[in-house]
Amino acid sequence: MTTLKAEKRAWQSLKQPPPELPPLFPSSESNAQLPLPDASLLDSEEAQILTTLTDPSTALNPQKIQSRLQALQNSLDFRIDHLSDNVQKLEHRVKTGGLQADRVLALSAARLKEREEKERASAGTKDMPVMEVLRSLGRILPPESGGGG
């Protein structure tokens, strides 16, 4: 009965509104007061982006930004196509490699079976079951070697 009450309380707590949390992003007025990150702690690309954004000589011109974004998008489309093509080629090579490996393993297994049959034929045990061969060897070997003697 107590588990039902605890479950009921849990469901009722879910119905209550969540507690007030501070805003995820501060208001635009406080953005001007935020300190800039230390460029020495950033990667070279990040530092270059920071200097581009904070350099007063490069005023944020919407048309300039749009043309730059368009150029980046065009090069990104090409890079994605190139990546997709390479992934497709890699998948094809993996599939082909798998097929070749299967073929090599099948040929090796056939060759091994052929060799085993030749050895059994040369030993005169071709038609004997393996257990019978092992029993015969056990009777031949001396007792200290594990034979039945």
Side-chain angles (χ1 to χ4, degrees):
M1 194 71 134
T2 58
T3 24
L4 288 175
K5 288 180 182 179
E7 191 172 332
K8 182 179 178 182
R9 278 190 296 247
W11 279 107
Q12 287 175 343
S13 70
L14 289 174
K15 287 172 56 176
Q16 295 176 1
E20 285 294 319
L21 297 174
L24 186 59
F25 298 106
S27 66
S28 60
E29 299 161 359
S30 62
N31 278 349
Q33 301 167 355
L34 292 176
L36 292 175
D38 185 7
S40 64
L41 300 176
L42 301 175
D43 292 340
S44 61
E45 292 177 1
E46 292 171 344
Q48 185 180 7
I49 292 170
L50 179 66
T51 55
T52 303
L53 291 174
T54 56
D55 188 12
S57 65
T58 58
L60 296 178
N61 181 358
Q63 290 174 332
K64 185 177 178 182
I65 292 172
Q66 186 175 2
S67 66
R68 190 153 183 207
L69 286 175
Q70 189 71 32
L72 286 173
Q73 183 180 7
N74 290 340
S75 70
L76 185 62
D77 289 342
F78 172 74
R79 288 179 180 174
I80 289 173
D81 287 343
H82 188 66
L83 175 66
S84 175
D85 182 54
N86 285 338
V87 167
Q88 220 171 12
K89 287 177 183 175
L90 182 62
E91 286 175 348
H92 180 69
R93 286 183 180 158
V94 167
K95 183 179 177 183
T96 303
L99 292 174
Q100 287 179 345
D102 290 344
R103 185 171 176 217
V104 167
L105 287 174
L107 289 172
S108 298
R111 183 81 171 182
L112 185 61
K113 187 174 182 180
E114 188 180 301
R115 180 202 265 168
E116 183 181 314
E117 287 177 7
K118 280 184 183 178
E119 288 179 5
R120 288 181 79 185
S122 68
T125 59
K126 182 177 181 182
D127 298 326
M128 293 178 66
V130 174
M131 288 304 293
E132 188 64 34
V133 172
L134 291 175
R135 278 191 205 116
S136 300
L137 286 174
R139 283 183 240 145
I140 294 173
L141 295 173
E144 61 270 0
S145 299

